[in-house]
Amino acid sequence: MIETTKLVDEIVEALQDKKGHDVTIANLTHIDDTICQYFILCTGNSPSHVQALCQNVGESVLKHTGEHPVGVSGMHNAMWVAMD
């Protein structure tokens, strides 16, 4: 299993590589009973930009860590996308 902070760093780098805006990392490690340790938010300029951001995150994380998203929701209209 990959170290969580390395995964977060890789995701942020992939978002920045595709010019994602307002990348924000919410550190939830100090909160008990959360469903995740970190929550990363990013803004895209258009649905095609959002799709490119998600595709780059998936490809980059797989290439550099061997991990892939468990699930992706919202790609059909790409107004918002959630990757797990």
Side-chain angles (χ1 to χ4, degrees), residues 4-5 7-9 11-12 15 21-31 33-43 57 71 73 80-84:
T4 304
T5 55
L7 181 59
V8 169
D9 291 344
I11 292 167
V12 170
L15 292 169
H21 301 283
D22 304 322
V23 177
T24 303
I25 303 167
N27 181 342
L28 307 177
T29 58
H30 61 283
I31 301 172
D33 299 327
T34 60
I35 61 170
C36 61
Q37 295 177 334
Y38 294 89
F39 197 81
I40 303 167
L41 301 168
C42 178
T43 302
V57 167
S73 298
W80 60 267
V81 176
M83 297 180 81
D84 185 18

Side-chain angles (χ1 to χ4, degrees), residues 15 18 42 44 46-59 69-84:
L15 292 169
K18 289 294 182 184
C42 178
S46 65
S48 59
H49 187 213
V50 171
Q51 289 174 337
L53 288 164
C54 290
Q55 183 175 356
N56 197 51
V57 167
E59 291 173 358
V70 174
V72 179
S73 298
M75 287 291 281
H76 60 280
N77 66 6
M79 297 299 290
W80 60 267
V81 176
M83 297 180 81
D84 185 18

